[in-house]
Amino acid sequence: NDPFGNFFFGGFGNNWIDHQQPKRFRLDYSFPGTELNSVGGANFGKLLVEWMTPPIRFRGFGGTNFYCSWIQPTLFASTLITNVDNPSIQHVPYNGGAQMDFHLAFFSSIEATFSFGYAVAFEHARRISDEWMVSLKIL
């Protein structure tokens, strides 16, 4: 019954300007398509399936001081079950989404990854929410 004893899930987990890995939807606390910390429970199980294509590389996409060297699309779907031991308060949401990462170079020495994504979450065959994500990781 103590909310501080629960696990909470939600969102892609990326910040607008970030220094961590771009594909944060892989982390155990993220659940894209829902608001941050909107799904909670005393215990949980999570399953994630991901299809990541090889990067699409560019030879000359940009100029001397700013260019994109590759892009990489990713599709994912996950499901989460909370309160496994108590079916009366159990939640089983699932989601699906996509993320696109662009590897950028500024002034020939500063690297960055620009990411955007979209995910939709469902529960009981009803759409409960959706989410957009935009993030810039400066390496």
Side-chain angles (χ1 to χ4, degrees):
N1 293 334
D2 183 7
F4 294 111
N6 287 338
F7 297 96
F8 289 96
F9 308 90
F12 274 90
N14 298 59
N15 297 315
W16 290 96
I17 303 294
D18 216 336
H19 68 283
Q20 297 180 354
Q21 66 172 330
K23 295 188 185 336
R24 305 255 293 272
F25 62 83
R26 295 175 176 165
L27 300 178
D28 56 354
Y29 62 81
S30 72
F31 197 74
T34 61
E35 294 291 324
L36 287 175
N37 301 328
S38 64
V39 181
N43 48 47
F44 72 96
K46 183 177 177 183
L47 176 69
L48 171 71
V49 177
E50 173 184 352
W51 181 63
M52 183 170 55
T53 67
I56 301 165
R57 301 194 180 274
F58 299 110
R59 196 166 261 232
F61 188 54
T64 306
N65 290 330
F66 175 75
Y67 60 92
C68 179
S69 56
W70 54 261
I71 64 171
Q72 186 172 38
T74 305
L75 298 174
F76 61 88
S78 62
T79 187
L80 177 69
I81 182 169
T82 62
N83 300 313
V84 178
D85 56 347
N86 191 347
S88 64
I89 57 171
Q90 198 172 72
H91 291 285
V92 187
Y94 54 97
N95 67 4
Q99 181 171 325
M100 181 82 77
D101 297 326
F102 297 82
H103 186 263
L104 308 172
F106 302 91
F107 306 114
S108 300
S109 62
I110 301 171
E111 294 183 349
T113 303
F114 175 73
S115 303
F116 70 89
Y118 178 75
V120 179
F122 299 89
E123 188 169 13
H124 304 296
R126 283 189 17 245
R127 179 178 166 171
I128 54 174
S129 61
D130 64 345
E131 177 189 18
W132 287 94
M133 181 273 298
V134 177
S135 180
L136 178 65
K137 175 190 175 188
I138 301 182
L139 304 177

